[in-house]
Amino acid sequence: MIAAAPLVSLVIPCLNEEAGVAACVRTAREAFAAAGVTGEVIVVDNGSTDHSVALAEQAGAVVVAEARRGYGAALLRGFEQARGEILVMGDADGSYDFGAIPRFLEAIRGGADFAIGTRFKGTILPGAMPWANRWIGNPILSGMLRLLFHTSVSDSHCGLRAFTRRAYERMALRTTGMELASEMVIAALAKGLVLAEVPITYRPRAGTSKLHPLRDAWRHVRFMLLWAPSYLFQIPGLFLILGGALLVGWLAAGPRQLFGHVWDFHVLLLGASALILGHSLVLFDLFAKTFSVGAGLRPPGRWLRRVLAWFSLERGAALGTLLFLAGLGLEIKIVLDWTRAGSGALMAVRGITIGMTAMVTGAQTVFASFLVSLLAIERR
């Protein structure tokens, strides 16, 4: 006879946490009893070589193994194993008080799809968080997430969280490392889930930390930028296009004098380079967003909707071809004029630069049109 599914499943990733895992399991089971709910504790062993597995089982946990190393890999394995309608996650080192689980359940019952702990609105006990993490790392990472994704979450990297099974399925989580913490919040926001913050007490951990501050921080930053390509590609690209176009337009007719200096070919070449690079970055932004929408990772934003509403392979290719031919025509004119003048010294840097810029951006537009059309097939 199969036992009835519990209401709550707590998933605890574990790698050599014999100093704290048993106490965590016991505290969680006591919290289930205090809240009057049925619950299970799933400890996901990620390759422990100490007594973590035996201690977790003795304390009453279900232990499953995950061969892929990584915080995210262990959690995803545990969520697959879980049978509860409400999923809770937390660390095995004793830094999070699982006695707070009833407050997370209250937040879920109150209408939240996703309840995330906040250490900064709760209590951080002495020695629980290194100075650099508390005053530099976490504020920067949480601030980036608030800026890029327009959220008010105060502690985006708190590891004590709860969410409904439906919310978990809608988030469609994929990452296997520490960046899963960021992916959860970003995916929840993208899917329009209701988030709630629960103040918690953060305690000094038991045992040795497995964190690599710089490497783990970079993984979070990298993931956030990949999920917010406008800040990585579009905004810098538009600035480069604007600045480059102004310089090229200003110097197209000849050298200019400003601030007591004569500005000529060198600045023109700089402007042309900025224009080409900016055009490339905007195309990268278009590729990234089209792919994300086609893969179901995010809904299309206003800018992408407008572009794709106008865009067709034929329109993009035609526009790029016209731009390329305009540049090629200018280059041919320069060669013909040079030939008629006797094929002597060729001093046409200005025209060659402008023609080259038009040809490169035109060719990029043609090939980009084919790629965007390919990426948009599934979306259509």
Side-chain angles (χ1 to χ4, degrees), residues 15 94 207 318:
L15 174 60

Side-chain angles (χ1 to χ4, degrees), residues 259-283:
F259 303 128
H261 297 280
V262 176
W263 306 86
D264 202 358
F265 300 132
H266 298 90
V267 179
L268 177 66
L269 289 168
L270 176 64
S273 299
L275 188 56
I276 292 171
L277 177 58
H279 181 258
S280 299
L281 291 177
V282 171
L283 291 179

Side-chain angles (χ1 to χ4, degrees), residues 107-123:
I108 298 293
R109 289 170 178 147
D113 300 304
F114 187 130
I116 181 170
T118 171
R119 296 165 290 185
F120 300 113
K121 292 181 179 180
T123 303

Side-chain angles (χ1 to χ4, degrees), residues 18-378:
E18 64 181 3
V21 65
C24 289
V25 174
R26 287 193 293 268
T27 301
R29 288 165 60 86
E30 292 168 0
F32 295 151
V37 299
T38 56
E40 64 178 354
V41 181
I42 300 172
V43 172
V44 184
D45 178 54
N46 208 202
S48 297
T49 56
D50 61 4
H51 299 95
S52 296
V53 171
L55 292 172
E57 289 176 336
Q58 291 170 12
V62 175
V63 177
V64 296
E66 173 53 56
R68 295 176 302 164
R69 284 296 182 94
Y71 176 76
L75 283 171
L76 293 178
R77 176 69 179 90
F79 296 147
E80 291 174 4
Q81 181 75 22
R83 298 180 298 139
E85 283 302 313
I86 298 176
L87 306 177
V88 183
M89 55 177 276
D91 296 343
D93 57 15
S95 56
Y96 295 115
D97 179 12
F98 290 119
I101 287 177
R103 285 189 278 131
F104 284 80
L105 300 181
E106 289 174 10
I108 298 293
R109 289 170 178 147
D113 300 304
F114 187 130
I116 181 170
T118 171
R119 296 165 290 185
F120 300 113
K121 292 181 179 180
T123 303
I124 301 177
L125 298 180
M129 187 181 295
W131 184 91
N133 291 18
R134 181 171 184 174
W135 301 108
I136 301 176
N138 273 293
I140 290 176
L141 293 175
S142 294
M144 278 189 64
L145 190 137
R146 288 194 296 271
L147 174 66
L148 299 183
F149 299 97
H150 313 292
T151 179
S152 60
V153 173
S154 63
D155 189 4
S156 60
H157 295 89
C158 178
L160 185 55
R161 308 176 178 197
F163 35 85
T164 64
R165 178 168 293 279
R166 175 168 170 75
Y168 169 70
E169 292 170 351
R170 291 183 62 191
M171 286 188 287
L173 304 172
R174 306 180 182 206
T175 54
T176 59
M178 291 298 297
E179 64 271 27
L180 183 76
S182 294
E183 183 188 8
M184 277 188 179
V185 179
I186 294 169
L189 294 170
K191 298 300 182 180
L193 301 182
V194 178
L195 271 66
E197 288 193 297
V198 179
I200 65 167
T201 297
Y202 192 56
R203 306 180 301 194
R205 65 162 290 140
T208 304
S209 174
K210 315 298 188 305
L211 295 177
H212 299 84
L214 292 178
R215 185 188 69 185
D216 293 337
W218 166 242
R219 295 183 73 159
H220 287 293
V221 170
R222 178 183 65 183
F223 184 82
M224 285 189 280
L225 289 176
L226 291 175
W227 263 78
S230 292
Y231 293 88
L232 183 62
F233 300 127
Q234 187 189 77
I235 294 176
L238 292 176
F239 273 111
L240 286 169
I241 289 174
L242 178 61
L246 288 175
L247 288 177
V248 171
W250 185 51
L251 295 169
R256 301 279 187 168
Q257 187 166 356
L258 184 67
F259 303 128
H261 297 280
V262 176
W263 306 86
D264 202 358
F265 300 132
H266 298 90
V267 179
L268 177 66
L269 289 168
L270 176 64
S273 299
L275 188 56
I276 292 171
L277 177 58
H279 181 258
S280 299
L281 291 177
V282 171
L283 291 179
F284 290 158
D285 179 70
L286 181 58
F287 299 153
K289 289 178 177 175
T290 305
F291 170 79
S292 296
V293 171
L297 298 177
R298 57 183 296 167
R302 183 185 308 170
W303 180 80
L304 184 63
R305 284 198 300 267
R306 289 178 178 175
V307 170
L308 294 181
W310 172 87
F311 172 82
S312 68
L313 171 60
E314 293 75 19
R315 284 179 177 176
L319 178 63
T321 299
L322 289 175
L323 190 58
F324 179 85
L325 291 177
L328 180 62
L330 179 57
E331 300 289 355
I332 292 173
K333 179 181 181 303
I334 291 172
V335 172
L336 293 177
D337 290 344
W338 171 68
T339 303
R340 284 193 291 265
S343 303
L346 180 60
M347 290 297 295
V349 176
R350 196 179 320 280
I352 289 175
T353 300
I354 295 173
M356 173 202 67
T357 302
M359 291 176 66
V360 171
T361 54
Q364 286 179 329
T365 302
V366 171
F367 292 116
S369 298
F370 281 91
L371 181 54
V372 171
S373 183
L374 177 64
L375 293 173
I377 287 176
E378 181 64 26

